[in-house]
Amino acid sequence: MKKKFIKNWWKYVLGLAIIVIHVLPIYVLVVMAFKKMSDTSSLLSLPKILYLDNFRKVMEAGTIPAAFMNTIIVTVSVLLIEVLVGGLAAYPLARNRSRKNGIVKGIILGIMMIPSLSILVGVYSLLVNINGISTLWGLILVSSAFGLPMTIYLFMNFISAIPPSLDEASAIDGCNVVQTFLKIILPQLKPVTVTIIILNGVGVWNEYAYSLYVLQKPKTYTLTLMISQYFSAGGKDLNGAAAAACIAIFPLIVIYILLQKYFIQGTIDSAIKG
């Protein structure tokens, strides 16, 4: 064991460096959330006393709870659309291996390569024409559209590994295509579904660029937009922003801990089946 450690020492050093790089910002965030604005000590030093007023002020302001609810509505709606629509789209693409479906798959992969911000002007103009600006459903449509290509791709890989005989048995029992997918195929996609929920859910929860342009009324702000208000021209409340950020990331940590088993299984299976 000692010889193995000496031989691979650089791997352990690199791994430790990566851990520090990722953990250090979170540590600073939590420390600042429990400090007073007048505290001029080092960002790395622990607070002498736990100052909870930052969290109290954030909650009493009334903006974070509303933004929290808006974020939940957008995230849950987007994930439901992506799982149902993405799964129903991936099912025939995975089962019918025709030339036309091959072209569709190529288009889907090509769309995944397009940076979302590169088409911001076109998307914004479309939302203006359909009165989608300053509405949650406008952001839901945009976020769902950007997340569907990856969702369809992952679902296709998993569905391709499911024996077609299950579809035939379901058809014999009288199920149509939609019923076969919902009752037979979708329950077997739990690992990849959890992977999609975590990856796409985190992306939607933390989305800022399109939210900044689409959600222009304060009552429609999501958490990322609300936290950015702490960095206004009137002054910067870094401690308040840190407290608000801690509130924003706490649900993600809890969900990841609860779904970690399926997420790891889904990512491993995706790599094998991809």
Side-chain angles (χ1 to χ4, degrees), residues 213-225:
Y213 293 95
V214 176
L215 305 179
Q216 299 179 2
K217 295 181 180 179
K219 67 178 182 179
T220 63
Y221 281 0
T222 55
L223 283 170
T224 52
L225 289 180

Side-chain angles (χ1 to χ4, degrees), residues 233-254:
K236 297 180 180 179
D237 184 3
L238 298 181
N239 300 85
C246 286
I247 295 174
I249 66 176
F250 180 75
L252 299 180
I253 295 175
V254 173

Side-chain angles (χ1 to χ4, degrees), residues 117-132:
L117 288 178
S118 65
I119 56 175
L120 172 61
V121 175
V123 173
Y124 183 85
S125 301
L126 176 62
L127 289 177
V128 170
N129 292 333
I130 63 176
N131 298 319

Side-chain angles (χ1 to χ4, degrees), residues 41-266:
S41 61
S42 171
L43 294 177
L44 299 179
S45 62
L46 293 172
K48 297 179 180 179
I49 58 172
L50 293 180
Y51 185 71
L52 301 178
D53 277 8
N54 290 324
F55 293 92
R56 180 181 59 80
K57 292 176 182 178
V58 165
M59 297 304 295
E60 288 181 352
T63 53
I64 289 297
F68 195 89
M69 183 56 63
N70 289 339
T71 305
I72 291 177
I73 293 172
V74 171
T75 303
V76 172
S77 300
V78 170
L79 291 177
L80 286 176
I81 292 173
E82 289 181 350
V83 170
L84 292 177
V85 176
L88 289 171
Y91 182 43
L93 290 173
R95 284 292 188 252
N96 304 320
R97 300 184 180 182
S98 63
R99 182 179 178 182
K100 291 181 179 180
N101 279 357
I103 295 174
V104 173
K105 292 178 184 178
I107 294 174
I108 291 174
L109 291 174
I111 293 175
M112 289 168 55
M113 301 297 108
I114 300 176
S116 59
L117 288 178
S118 65
I119 56 175
L120 172 61
V121 175
V123 173
Y124 183 85
S125 301
L126 176 62
L127 289 177
V128 170
N129 292 333
I130 63 176
N131 298 319
I133 299 299
S134 295
T135 62
L136 294 181
W137 64 263
L139 182 62
I140 290 171
L141 287 180
V142 172
S143 300
S144 300
F146 287 129
L148 276 173
M150 176 62 74
T151 303
I152 295 173
Y153 176 74
L154 292 176
F155 272 142
M156 280 194 302
N157 290 338
F158 267 74
I159 295 174
S160 298
I162 299 175
S165 57
L166 293 177
D167 303 44
E168 299 169 0
S170 176
I172 293 174
D173 290 337
C175 294
N176 57 35
V177 175
V178 176
Q179 290 174 331
T180 299
F181 173 76
L182 295 177
K183 296 180 179 180
I184 306 299
I185 303 299
L186 187 58
Q188 300 185 61
L189 301 177
K190 183 184 293 184
V192 69
T193 301
V194 171
T195 301
I196 291 170
I197 288 174
I198 292 179
L199 293 179
N200 292 4
V202 170
V204 175
W205 189 276
N206 295 327
E207 209 287 322
Y208 177 76
Y210 269 86
S211 300
L212 183 63
Y213 293 95
V214 176
L215 305 179
Q216 299 179 2
K217 295 181 180 179
K219 67 178 182 179
T220 63
Y221 281 0
T222 55
L223 283 170
T224 52
L225 289 180
M226 193 56 62
I227 293 172
S228 69
Q229 302 304 305
Y230 287 91
F231 303 90
S232 62
K236 297 180 180 179
D237 184 3
L238 298 181
N239 300 85
C246 286
I247 295 174
I249 66 176
F250 180 75
L252 299 180
I253 295 175
V254 173
I255 291 175
Y256 177 76
I257 292 174
L258 295 176
L259 302 179
Q260 182 180 15
K261 173 184 175 182
Y262 299 105
F263 175 70
I264 295 174
Q265 180 182 347

